[in-house]
Amino acid sequence: MIRYKSKIGWILVVVILILLLAPIFQLLKHSLSIGPIFLLLPSLFIGYIFISTYYEIGNGVLRVKSGFLLNRSIPISSITKIEATKNPISAPATSFDRLEVFYNKYERVIISPKGKRAFIAHLKQLNPNIQDNTGL
């Protein structure tokens, strides 16, 4: 199995940090001690998701893993097309520099592997019928 870590988009990190840290600073400013703890929990969870999101290729399967929330196995033989996307929809991707992987008839998953070219080349090596519409 070869593991491809998810690319971390710093724009996404900054936006999330601002959204999470601004209320914490307000609560600290007003001397509330329990509030920041409750606001730090989502920060820790998001950090965990960022660290634990990756994609593995091996044994004829693309495995998409994002924390304990998502563990999807996609047969590489069922992948039909890969496209570049910046779709901000919630996905197992920690960057807006994303790939949309189409498989089976109507299924798709949005991911953001580091080294997109190597990732795509690896998939195409295992399934030459994959249509690459990324322009990479």
Side-chain angles (χ1 to χ4, degrees), residues 45-102:
F45 177 72
I46 291 170
Y48 162 71
I49 294 298
F50 268 64
I51 291 169
S52 64
T53 298
Y54 61 88
Y55 320 103
E56 285 182 337
I57 297 175
N59 301 324
V61 171
L62 166 61
R63 181 173 170 226
V64 179
K65 180 89 167 104
S66 186
F68 61 84
L69 299 174
L70 181 71
N71 187 4
R72 184 179 298 171
S73 293
I74 301 166
I76 294 170
S77 62
S78 72
I79 298 174
T80 57
K81 178 172 58 171
I82 301 173
E83 293 182 353
T85 184
K86 297 206 183 282
N87 188 335
I89 193 168
S90 178
T94 56
S95 170
F96 288 129
D97 185 15
R98 299 170 166 194
L99 296 175
E100 191 164 7
V101 178
F102 297 82

Side-chain angles (χ1 to χ4, degrees), residues 3-61:
R3 182 175 291 187
Y4 295 86
K5 292 185 177 191
S6 184
K7 179 179 181 179
I8 295 178
W10 296 110
I11 292 173
L12 191 56
V13 170
V14 169
V15 168
I16 290 170
L17 284 176
I18 289 170
L19 290 173
L20 293 174
L21 293 178
I24 291 172
F25 288 128
Q26 286 298 319
L27 288 170
L28 290 174
K29 183 177 169 184
H30 297 292
S31 309
L32 295 175
S33 59
I34 193 92
I37 293 170
F38 287 113
L39 290 174
L40 280 175
L41 292 175
S43 300
L44 293 174
F45 177 72
I46 291 170
Y48 162 71
I49 294 298
F50 268 64
I51 291 169
S52 64
T53 298
Y54 61 88
Y55 320 103
E56 285 182 337
I57 297 175
N59 301 324
V61 171

